[in-house]
Amino acid sequence: MANFYTDNPDLRHHLTHPLMEKIVALKERNYTDAEKYDYAPLDYADAQDSYDKVLEIVGEICGDIIAPNAEDVDHQGPSVADGRVIYADATKVNLDACRKAGLMGMAMPRRYGGLNFPITPYIMAADIVSRADTGFENLWGLQDCAETIYEFANEDQKQRFITRVCQGETMSMDLTEPDAGSDLQSVMLRATEQPDGTWRLNGVKRFITNGDSDIHLVLARSEAGTKDGRGLSMFIYDKRDGGVNVRRIENKMGIKGSPTCELTYKNAKAELCGSRRMGLIKYVMALMNGARLGIAAQSVGVSELAYREALAYARDRKQFGKAIIEFPAVYEMLSVMKAKLDASRSLLYECARFVDMYKVYDDIAKERSLTPEERKESKMYSRQADALTPLAKGMGSEYCNQNAYDCIQIHGGSGFMKDYACERLYRDARITSIYEGTTQLQVVAAIRHVTTGTYQGLINSYLENDVKPELQSIKERIRVMAEVYAKAVETVGKVEDQAYGDFMARRLVEMAGVTVMSCLLMLDAERNDSFRRSAEVYLNLAQAEVTKHAEFINTFDPEKVAEYKVM
């Protein structure tokens, strides 16, 4: 089988982005860790070599083990016996391979047994794993919950729990309840403090990914009599202590290897993570941003598989005496699939780099005071990461679904059959625009960055870059597109009507998203000629989207919003 890292040069392109040199130097504290750990890098080149080697291992395991197992996992799926989850046989093989290769806890510090990788190469591993088996990425990728423990727990908890994750134990985040889906303020699972300082949890959680994990992060109501987010705290539950059982596994459309569980808590022992009352207000927000970046990576991985499956079939399938890839209707579809894949991947890694920058400054701030320049830079990257995360998750998952749809379309009737991987990936893709916040909720998160000008500022900064002569026409077209977007924001802003503003939010966010992605592809093409075609194709698509939305906004009567309300 192919190595899923080395067979995709686009990954290496993003891993060697110019900003990575600064990220790695900060993450490695100017490479002083080499004095304590023999596997710590000596310099940037050494660090990149380390990332390469580990990602090659990820790619090899994905190509040789996880991808070949995906079909069996999809058919068998997990089961429940005596309140415990039993993984599909091939899932156990996958987990064992990842544990033996030391791929758990990649982003955790070395002092806890991790590899101290920045977010960017960690997200790249998630991208690769998702291409191999979308559902398995949920089991492997939820180790990112350890990031929340690292950021907010005390040192004793970090030593006890993060070391276990790095050794291969799994995690889950137990947030959703039967009556509290996206509205997490309504969470009612009760947390009661005991005289010895421990807590007991009672209630039900639903739709919990990998819900029978070894270590759980649990959102629960610690303040009796409260009904909003201010009464919620975050807890760590250790499966070894007992008290939580799996009532059932949901029978899902896709990602069948990933057990989605309903859990019952009966006086389950737990310990407070961080401060009381900060569970939703602070900790879940950080946790969800990390999870959304993970789903963005998952979406890109599925888009990659969809494009490859479609391309291979179009080259082999012959109709009317020639391969169907030679028909304009097919090769246009394939070129658009590739452009959407490249655009969403560029956005994903731009976002990952911004997350890396502000998180590494946050980490450094625990050791020493930041300089005024560092504080300013940290604040800027935090704001930009906050702006790009809902775009990467929202638009990346929509493109993932569109590519999965087009993959089946290119296969024709064969794509509707279970003989081809595209049928499975189509089912797997559908969840990406739903869980960890629907696309509609990503619009709610993103719209403030439209109104405050964050996206406009990013676009302007991208357009300040010099590009080679053959990309000048692309740059000028993006500049015109950016002006149309800015005018649309102004037009909507002039109407002082909340309902109208909310109604137009999706259009403005999509205009911002396609303009940002057009800029990123232009800059990718500046560094690497292989992105030139996708930059051109995507810009055609983006211009059409911006023009369509601008026309709608310019001709729409705000009084007509009421006509869209279904009674």
Side-chain angles (χ1 to χ4, degrees), residues 343-344 347 395 399 512-522 538:
S344 55
L347 179 59
M395 299 195 72
Y399 283 171
V514 298
T515 307
V516 166
M517 284 187 274
S518 296
C519 290
L520 292 173
L521 279 176
M522 174 189 71
Y538 188 78

Side-chain angles (χ1 to χ4, degrees), residues 119 122-123 126 137-138 141-145 147-148 172-173 175 209 283-299 348 355 359 389 392-393 432 435-437 442:
I119 297 295
Y122 166 70
I123 286 295
E137 200 283 326
N138 285 345
L142 274 173
Q143 60 179 285
D144 187 50
C145 290
E147 180 73 22
T148 300
S172 63
M173 50 180 179
L175 308 180
T209 299
Y283 307 148
V284 169
M285 292 300 102
L287 181 62
M288 290 296 285
N289 274 339
R292 286 167 179 170
L293 191 62
I295 302 306
Q298 190 176 59
S299 299
L348 168 67
V355 171
K359 279 188 177 289
T389 297
K393 198 281 181 186
T432 61
Y435 62 2
E436 310 307 349
Q442 303 313 305

Side-chain angles (χ1 to χ4, degrees), residues 84 100 168 172 201 267 281 284 292 295 325 330 332 417-418 462 470 495 533 549:
R84 301 273 69 86
K100 286 179 178 176
S172 63
L201 306 179
N267 221 30
I281 297 169
V284 169
R292 286 167 179 170
I295 302 306
I325 197 171
V330 176
E332 180 192 5
M417 309 302 163
K418 289 187 177 288
Y462 294 141
E470 55 267 38
V495 181
R533 179 176 293 182
H549 288 323

